[in-house]
Amino acid sequence: MSEAIENMEQVAVADLEPKMRFDGRVTRIELFGAFVDFGAEREGLVHISQISRERVSRVADLLNEGDEVSVWVHDVDKERGRVRLTMVEPPELTIEELEPNQLVKGTVTKLVPYGAFVDIGVDRDGLIHVSEMSDGFVSKPSDVLSVGSELEVRVVKVDQRKRRIELSLLALPGEEEAPAPEFDEDEEDEEGETMT
């Protein structure tokens, strides 16, 4: 969600979902993070690792009690009523949300001899192997793509454990153009003559 949720009414922890955005106020600073009142029935914790994309040594270097901050729901333990927040805007998609054959838009970030890396908006670039660039032979990726090219790609495979995303420029099997109709040699044309 890109727009902040208005904190007019108290939000139930059970209604919170990852990536929801809120405006809040820092209520307490600890060595391990900061607690933020963001309009829910309980405060949420922004762990020190979720304050910035850069490494943070001390929470107090960046935050003070009373600071107004924008936060996103990182995850929710609904049974315990605990909410973990982040001050790092989450990507539109996460690797966990990708599914085979899903179409996504991306930008080529790097060409290598065996393929091209593409930023598809998750925290990891995906790879289009040269064999997935064209139905024909591709000797080098630069024959087909260039860094900065924007394109739509298909997710082939996601390995969450290894954090690898395989992509393709090829259509799904069965989506190729229909072959031209074949004629039987004995079939007659409209004038009644046998076609050869």
Side-chain angles (χ1 to χ4, degrees), residues 4-13 15-17 20-27 34-46 68-76 81-86:
I5 303 294
E6 292 297 326
N7 301 339
M8 301 296 284
E9 295 178 22
Q10 203 172 56
V11 180
V13 170
D15 295 334
L16 295 173
E17 296 294 333
M20 291 174 95
R21 180 179 180 272
F22 294 89
D23 291 320
R25 185 175 51 79
V26 177
T27 58
F35 287 90
V36 176
D37 177 359
F38 63 104
E41 55 196 356
R42 293 187 69 168
E43 294 177 335
L45 171 66
V46 179
E68 301 287 328
V69 293
S70 292
V71 293
W72 289 263
V73 175
H74 190 269
D75 62 39
V76 184
R82 292 183 181 167
V83 182
R84 288 195 317 147
L85 302 171
T86 179

Side-chain angles (χ1 to χ4, degrees), residues 124-165:
R124 190 119 181 122
D125 286 358
L127 172 69
I128 305 174
H129 189 268
V130 286
S131 64
E132 292 290 335
M133 290 184 177
S134 171
D135 288 327
F137 175 75
V138 176
S139 63
K140 53 187 193 252
S142 59
D143 291 344
V144 179
L145 297 170
S146 58
V147 172
S149 298
E150 294 184 1
L151 57 152
E152 186 173 60
V153 292
R154 179 173 58 84
V155 176
V156 175
K157 183 179 175 187
V158 179
D159 185 334
Q160 292 184 22
R161 190 176 62 78
K162 292 183 179 176
R163 310 288 291 167
R164 289 187 183 159
I165 305 165

Side-chain angles (χ1 to χ4, degrees), residues 89-132:
E89 185 171 0
E92 222 172 279
L93 275 174
T94 63
I95 195 168
E96 292 79 18
E97 294 170 317
L98 291 175
E99 294 179 5
N101 299 324
Q102 180 178 0
L103 294 176
V104 291
K105 293 187 176 172
T107 304
V108 177
T109 58
K110 184 178 179 182
L111 296 178
V112 290
Y114 52 87
F117 286 95
V118 180
D119 177 359
I120 57 171
V122 299
D123 58 357
R124 190 119 181 122
D125 286 358
L127 172 69
I128 305 174
H129 189 268
V130 286
S131 64
E132 292 290 335

